[in-house]
Tab-separated table of all heavy atoms in Angstrom:
chain	number	residue	atom	x	y	z
A	1	THR	N	124.629	76.853	112.789
A	1	THR	CA	125.036	76.547	111.429
A	1	THR	C	123.955	76.981	110.439
A	1	THR	O	122.763	76.987	110.760
A	1	THR	CB	125.290	75.041	111.261
A	1	THR	OG1	124.082	74.328	111.566
A	1	THR	CG2	126.382	74.570	112.195
A	2	ARG	N	124.391	77.333	109.241
A	2	ARG	CA	123.449	77.810	108.225
A	2	ARG	C	122.390	76.750	107.917
A	2	ARG	O	121.206	77.061	107.771
A	2	ARG	CB	124.217	78.180	106.957
A	2	ARG	CG	123.354	78.760	105.850
A	2	ARG	CD	124.208	79.121	104.652
A	2	ARG	NE	125.088	80.221	104.961
A	2	ARG	CZ	124.766	81.496	104.764
A	2	ARG	NH1	123.574	81.817	104.293
A	2	ARG	NH2	125.628	82.450	105.041
A	3	SER	N	122.814	75.482	107.818
A	3	SER	CA	121.859	74.426	107.493
A	3	SER	C	120.852	74.220	108.619
A	3	SER	O	119.654	74.026	108.368
A	3	SER	CB	122.606	73.114	107.211
A	3	SER	OG	123.390	72.739	108.333
A	4	ALA	N	121.330	74.297	109.879
A	4	ALA	CA	120.414	74.135	111.009
A	4	ALA	C	119.429	75.286	111.085
A	4	ALA	O	118.237	75.086	111.346
A	4	ALA	CB	121.205	74.035	112.318
A	5	SER	N	119.912	76.505	110.840
A	5	SER	CA	119.025	77.667	110.862
A	5	SER	C	117.959	77.566	109.781
A	5	SER	O	116.783	77.853	110.017
A	5	SER	CB	119.848	78.949	110.683
A	5	SER	OG	119.011	80.078	110.616
A	6	LEU	N	118.372	77.149	108.577
A	6	LEU	CA	117.419	77.007	107.470
A	6	LEU	C	116.377	75.938	107.783
A	6	LEU	O	115.181	76.126	107.539
A	6	LEU	CB	118.163	76.656	106.183
A	6	LEU	CG	117.296	76.458	104.934
A	6	LEU	CD1	116.539	77.728	104.594
A	6	LEU	CD2	118.161	76.012	103.753
A	7	MET	N	116.819	74.824	108.366
A	7	MET	CA	115.871	73.751	108.689
A	7	MET	C	114.879	74.185	109.752
A	7	MET	O	113.672	73.896	109.645
A	7	MET	CB	116.638	72.511	109.163
A	7	MET	CG	115.706	71.343	109.502
A	7	MET	SD	116.581	69.849	109.941
A	7	MET	CE	115.188	68.750	110.267
A	8	LEU	N	115.351	74.886	110.782
A	8	LEU	CA	114.452	75.343	111.835
A	8	LEU	C	113.431	76.339	111.293
A	8	LEU	O	112.258	76.311	111.685
A	8	LEU	CB	115.252	75.969	112.975
A	8	LEU	CG	116.065	74.999	113.838
A	8	LEU	CD1	116.923	75.757	114.832
A	8	LEU	CD2	115.150	74.012	114.553
A	9	ARG	N	113.872	77.237	110.388
A	9	ARG	CA	112.921	78.198	109.797
A	9	ARG	C	111.870	77.472	108.965
A	9	ARG	O	110.679	77.781	109.044
A	9	ARG	CB	113.671	79.225	108.942
A	9	ARG	CG	114.595	80.124	109.719
A	9	ARG	CD	114.909	81.407	108.974
A	9	ARG	NE	115.390	81.190	107.630
A	9	ARG	CZ	116.673	81.034	107.303
A	9	ARG	NH1	117.598	81.026	108.246
A	9	ARG	NH2	117.038	80.870	106.053
A	10	LYS	N	112.310	76.517	108.149
A	10	LYS	CA	111.368	75.774	107.303
A	10	LYS	C	110.420	74.937	108.149
A	10	LYS	O	109.216	74.860	107.875
A	10	LYS	CB	112.141	74.867	106.338
A	10	LYS	CG	112.923	75.605	105.267
A	10	LYS	CD	112.013	76.148	104.183
A	10	LYS	CE	112.806	76.739	103.036
A	10	LYS	NZ	111.931	77.311	101.977
A	11	LEU	N	110.958	74.301	109.183
A	11	LEU	CA	110.118	73.482	110.049
A	11	LEU	C	109.088	74.338	110.778
A	11	LEU	O	107.901	73.991	110.829
A	11	LEU	CB	110.991	72.730	111.064
A	11	LEU	CG	110.257	71.911	112.135
A	11	LEU	CD1	109.428	70.802	111.486
A	11	LEU	CD2	111.239	71.327	113.139
A	12	GLY	N	109.530	75.454	111.346
A	12	GLY	CA	108.610	76.330	112.061
A	12	GLY	C	107.508	76.863	111.167
A	12	GLY	O	106.326	76.847	111.549
A	13	LEU	N	107.881	77.314	109.958
A	13	LEU	CA	106.875	77.859	109.048
A	13	LEU	C	105.918	76.775	108.566
A	13	LEU	O	104.715	77.014	108.426
A	13	LEU	CB	107.572	78.533	107.856
A	13	LEU	CG	106.661	79.264	106.881
A	13	LEU	CD1	105.871	80.364	107.587
A	13	LEU	CD2	107.469	79.852	105.722
A	14	SER	N	106.429	75.563	108.322
A	14	SER	CA	105.560	74.455	107.886
A	14	SER	C	104.539	74.116	108.961
A	14	SER	O	103.350	73.921	108.667
A	14	SER	CB	106.409	73.229	107.557
A	14	SER	OG	107.293	73.474	106.488
A	15	LEU	N	104.976	74.040	110.215
A	15	LEU	CA	104.039	73.756	111.307
A	15	LEU	C	102.983	74.851	111.423
A	15	LEU	O	101.788	74.569	111.597
A	15	LEU	CB	104.811	73.627	112.625
A	15	LEU	CG	105.727	72.407	112.783
A	15	LEU	CD1	106.557	72.530	114.053
A	15	LEU	CD2	104.915	71.117	112.805
A	16	TYR	N	103.423	76.092	111.323
A	16	TYR	CA	102.493	77.220	111.440
A	16	TYR	C	101.446	77.200	110.329
A	16	TYR	O	100.249	77.332	110.583
A	16	TYR	CB	103.285	78.526	111.412
A	16	TYR	CG	102.445	79.769	111.267
A	16	TYR	CD1	101.571	80.175	112.270
A	16	TYR	CD2	102.519	80.546	110.110
A	16	TYR	CE1	100.796	81.316	112.133
A	16	TYR	CE2	101.759	81.692	109.970
A	16	TYR	CZ	100.900	82.075	110.980
A	16	TYR	OH	100.130	83.203	110.833
A	17	LEU	N	101.881	76.994	109.096
A	17	LEU	CA	100.955	77.030	107.963
A	17	LEU	C	100.004	75.835	107.995
A	17	LEU	O	98.825	75.977	107.644
A	17	LEU	CB	101.744	77.048	106.647
A	17	LEU	CG	102.568	78.307	106.383
A	17	LEU	CD1	103.353	78.161	105.087
A	17	LEU	CD2	101.671	79.534	106.322
A	18	ALA	N	100.500	74.672	108.389
A	18	ALA	CA	99.629	73.500	108.456
A	18	ALA	C	98.511	73.713	109.471
A	18	ALA	O	97.334	73.424	109.197
A	18	ALA	CB	100.459	72.265	108.814
A	19	CYS	N	98.859	74.223	110.642
A	19	CYS	CA	97.845	74.461	111.680
A	19	CYS	C	96.905	75.596	111.287
A	19	CYS	O	95.691	75.527	111.533
A	19	CYS	CB	98.532	74.785	113.005
A	19	CYS	SG	99.496	73.423	113.682
A	20	LEU	N	97.462	76.635	110.688
A	20	LEU	CA	96.639	77.771	110.272
A	20	LEU	C	95.605	77.342	109.233
A	20	LEU	O	94.423	77.696	109.315
A	20	LEU	CB	97.537	78.873	109.703
A	20	LEU	CG	96.918	80.252	109.482
A	20	LEU	CD1	96.535	80.884	110.809
A	20	LEU	CD2	97.901	81.151	108.743
A	21	GLY	N	96.045	76.558	108.257
A	21	GLY	CA	95.118	76.081	107.232
A	21	GLY	C	94.082	75.125	107.775
A	21	GLY	O	92.900	75.204	107.433
A	22	LEU	N	94.516	74.221	108.670
A	22	LEU	CA	93.582	73.252	109.253
A	22	LEU	C	92.507	73.951	110.066
A	22	LEU	O	91.324	73.576	110.013
A	22	LEU	CB	94.366	72.281	110.143
A	22	LEU	CG	93.605	71.084	110.707
A	22	LEU	CD1	93.100	70.186	109.577
A	22	LEU	CD2	94.490	70.293	111.658
A	23	ASP	N	92.881	75.007	110.778
A	23	ASP	CA	91.911	75.745	111.588
A	23	ASP	C	90.954	76.549	110.721
A	23	ASP	O	89.754	76.636	111.009
A	23	ASP	CB	92.668	76.675	112.543
A	23	ASP	CG	91.741	77.339	113.546
A	23	ASP	OD1	90.854	76.654	114.087
A	23	ASP	OD2	91.897	78.547	113.784
A	24	ALA	N	91.461	77.134	109.632
A	24	ALA	CA	90.618	77.961	108.753
A	24	ALA	C	89.718	77.112	107.859
A	24	ALA	O	88.640	77.550	107.454
A	24	ALA	CB	91.487	78.875	107.898
A	25	GLY	N	90.136	75.880	107.554
A	25	GLY	CA	89.413	75.071	106.575
A	25	GLY	C	88.050	74.610	107.025
A	25	GLY	O	87.138	74.436	106.201
A	26	LYS	N	87.842	74.447	108.337
A	26	LYS	CA	86.582	73.856	108.796
A	26	LYS	C	85.378	74.753	108.546
A	26	LYS	O	84.268	74.271	108.345
A	26	LYS	CB	86.684	73.493	110.288
A	26	LYS	CG	86.920	74.660	111.226
A	26	LYS	CD	87.036	74.173	112.665
A	26	LYS	CE	87.171	75.319	113.664
A	26	LYS	NZ	88.403	76.095	113.454
A	27	ASP	N	85.585	76.074	108.555
A	27	ASP	CA	84.459	76.999	108.355
A	27	ASP	C	84.569	77.796	107.061
A	27	ASP	O	83.724	78.639	106.784
A	27	ASP	CB	84.384	77.999	109.530
A	27	ASP	CG	84.140	77.301	110.851
A	27	ASP	OD1	83.371	76.326	110.858
A	27	ASP	OD2	84.732	77.729	111.861
A	28	PHE	N	85.614	77.516	106.282
A	28	PHE	CA	85.885	78.375	105.128
A	28	PHE	C	84.764	78.320	104.092
A	28	PHE	O	84.217	79.350	103.691
A	28	PHE	CB	87.215	77.972	104.489
A	28	PHE	CG	87.588	78.817	103.306
A	28	PHE	CD1	87.982	80.139	103.465
A	28	PHE	CD2	87.538	78.298	102.024
A	28	PHE	CE1	88.331	80.919	102.376
A	28	PHE	CE2	87.874	79.059	100.936
A	28	PHE	CZ	88.276	80.376	101.106
A	29	LEU	N	84.397	77.119	103.655
A	29	LEU	CA	83.407	77.001	102.594
A	29	LEU	C	82.036	77.482	103.054
A	29	LEU	O	81.317	78.156	102.300
A	29	LEU	CB	83.325	75.546	102.119
A	29	LEU	CG	82.466	75.303	100.871
A	29	LEU	CD1	83.034	76.093	99.698
A	29	LEU	CD2	82.410	73.821	100.528
A	30	GLU	N	81.658	77.181	104.304
A	30	GLU	CA	80.359	77.618	104.809
A	30	GLU	C	80.244	79.133	104.809
A	30	GLU	O	79.189	79.688	104.484
A	30	GLU	CB	80.153	77.095	106.240
A	30	GLU	CG	79.974	75.596	106.332
A	30	GLU	CD	79.752	75.157	107.764
A	30	GLU	OE1	79.522	76.047	108.622
A	30	GLU	OE2	79.798	73.948	108.034
A	31	THR	N	81.321	79.792	105.156
A	31	THR	CA	81.294	81.254	105.199
A	31	THR	C	81.262	81.848	103.797
A	31	THR	O	80.575	82.832	103.534
A	31	THR	CB	82.525	81.786	105.960
A	31	THR	OG1	82.601	81.131	107.226
A	31	THR	CG2	82.426	83.276	106.170
A	32	VAL	N	82.020	81.231	102.897
A	32	VAL	CA	82.101	81.760	101.532
A	32	VAL	C	80.746	81.691	100.835
A	32	VAL	O	80.375	82.610	100.077
A	32	VAL	CB	83.172	80.990	100.724
A	32	VAL	CG1	83.080	81.335	99.235
A	32	VAL	CG2	84.563	81.323	101.247
A	33	VAL	N	79.973	80.633	101.074
A	33	VAL	CA	78.710	80.481	100.356
A	33	VAL	C	77.601	81.346	100.948
A	33	VAL	O	76.492	81.383	100.400
A	33	VAL	CB	78.260	78.995	100.355
A	33	VAL	CG1	79.252	78.131	99.605
A	33	VAL	CG2	78.051	78.479	101.774
A	34	ARG	N	77.870	82.031	102.041
A	34	ARG	CA	76.884	82.970	102.568
A	34	ARG	C	76.697	84.111	101.577
A	34	ARG	O	77.570	84.392	100.744
A	34	ARG	CB	77.345	83.516	103.919
A	34	ARG	CG	77.363	82.476	105.027
A	34	ARG	CD	77.937	83.026	106.298
A	34	ARG	NE	77.232	84.230	106.737
A	34	ARG	CZ	77.518	84.887	107.845
A	34	ARG	NH1	78.517	84.458	108.620
A	34	ARG	NH2	76.839	85.959	108.196
A	35	PRO	N	75.562	84.839	101.623
A	35	PRO	CA	75.308	85.898	100.641
A	35	PRO	C	76.440	86.913	100.544
A	35	PRO	O	76.803	87.343	99.442
A	35	PRO	CB	74.012	86.542	101.162
A	35	PRO	CG	73.328	85.449	101.917
A	35	PRO	CD	74.420	84.629	102.521
A	36	GLU	N	76.978	87.300	101.700
A	36	GLU	CA	78.031	88.314	101.643
A	36	GLU	C	79.424	87.691	101.552
A	36	GLU	O	80.424	88.393	101.436
A	36	GLU	CB	77.964	89.212	102.891
A	36	GLU	CG	78.360	88.532	104.203
A	36	GLU	CD	77.202	87.842	104.871
A	36	GLU	OE1	76.204	87.540	104.181
A	36	GLU	OE2	77.271	87.605	106.089
A	37	GLY	N	79.489	86.351	101.586
A	37	GLY	CA	80.781	85.676	101.629
A	37	GLY	C	81.659	85.978	100.434
A	37	GLY	O	82.841	86.346	100.576
A	38	MET	N	81.137	85.815	99.204
A	38	MET	CA	81.927	86.044	98.006
A	38	MET	C	82.332	87.508	97.873
A	38	MET	O	83.435	87.821	97.393
A	38	MET	CB	81.148	85.596	96.760
A	38	MET	CG	80.965	84.093	96.648
A	38	MET	SD	82.531	83.188	96.690
A	38	MET	CE	83.313	83.815	95.214
A	39	LEU	N	81.446	88.409	98.294
A	39	LEU	CA	81.789	89.833	98.271
A	39	LEU	C	82.963	90.102	99.198
A	39	LEU	O	83.904	90.816	98.840
A	39	LEU	CB	80.582	90.671	98.688
A	39	LEU	CG	80.831	92.188	98.840
A	39	LEU	CD1	81.230	92.796	97.504
A	39	LEU	CD2	79.603	92.877	99.418
A	40	TRP	N	82.919	89.524	100.392
A	40	TRP	CA	84.014	89.707	101.347
A	40	TRP	C	85.337	89.164	100.784
A	40	TRP	O	86.380	89.808	100.902
A	40	TRP	CB	83.694	89.003	102.666
A	40	TRP	CG	82.694	89.737	103.509
A	40	TRP	CD1	82.071	90.917	103.205
A	40	TRP	CD2	82.191	89.331	104.784
A	40	TRP	NE1	81.220	91.279	104.209
A	40	TRP	CE2	81.269	90.333	105.207
A	40	TRP	CE3	82.412	88.251	105.617
A	40	TRP	CZ2	80.593	90.255	106.415
A	40	TRP	CZ3	81.740	88.166	106.825
A	40	TRP	CH2	80.834	89.158	107.218
A	41	VAL	N	85.276	87.988	100.172
A	41	VAL	CA	86.487	87.385	99.602
A	41	VAL	C	87.080	88.294	98.528
A	41	VAL	O	88.295	88.547	98.485
A	41	VAL	CB	86.186	85.986	99.033
A	41	VAL	CG1	87.375	85.459	98.236
A	41	VAL	CG2	85.837	85.017	100.144
A	42	GLY	N	86.202	88.796	97.640
A	42	GLY	CA	86.681	89.671	96.563
A	42	GLY	C	87.263	90.974	97.087
A	42	GLY	O	88.328	91.418	96.638
A	43	LEU	N	86.572	91.585	98.056
A	43	LEU	CA	87.076	92.838	98.625
A	43	LEU	C	88.405	92.620	99.358
A	43	LEU	O	89.332	93.438	99.244
A	43	LEU	CB	86.038	93.425	99.587
A	43	LEU	CG	84.735	93.936	98.961
A	43	LEU	CD1	83.786	94.422	100.044
A	43	LEU	CD2	85.010	95.053	97.966
A	44	GLY	N	88.485	91.520	100.095
A	44	GLY	CA	89.719	91.229	100.816
A	44	GLY	C	90.894	91.040	99.875
A	44	GLY	O	92.003	91.524	100.134
A	45	PHE	N	90.636	90.358	98.757
A	45	PHE	CA	91.707	90.148	97.774
A	45	PHE	C	92.170	91.477	97.183
A	45	PHE	O	93.376	91.712	97.009
A	45	PHE	CB	91.209	89.214	96.672
A	45	PHE	CG	92.277	88.808	95.703
A	45	PHE	CD1	93.277	87.931	96.091
A	45	PHE	CD2	92.286	89.314	94.414
A	45	PHE	CE1	94.270	87.560	95.192
A	45	PHE	CE2	93.273	88.946	93.520
A	45	PHE	CZ	94.266	88.059	93.902
């Protein structure tokens, strides 16, 4: 069903993004404040 498909897509993406952010958050600020950190962030953007 369309509603079931939409819910499964939203649920799957929510789980993925929550875990992805939680894993990236622990080292994010430490890496950014390194001398080359801000340069890397700007170049990546």
Side-chain angles (χ1 to χ4, degrees):
T1 60
R2 183 179 293 269
S3 58
S5 176
L6 179 61
M7 181 176 180
L8 289 174
R9 295 201 308 270
K10 291 285 187 182
L11 175 62
L13 185 59
S14 298
L15 291 172
Y16 169 67
L17 293 177
C19 295
L20 193 66
L22 187 62
D23 188 43
K26 62 181 184 297
D27 298 322
F28 181 71
L29 188 61
E30 291 181 12
T31 308
V32 169
V33 296
R34 292 175 55 178
E36 69 273 21
M38 291 304 297
L39 174 63
W40 284 0
V41 170
L43 292 177
F45 187 71

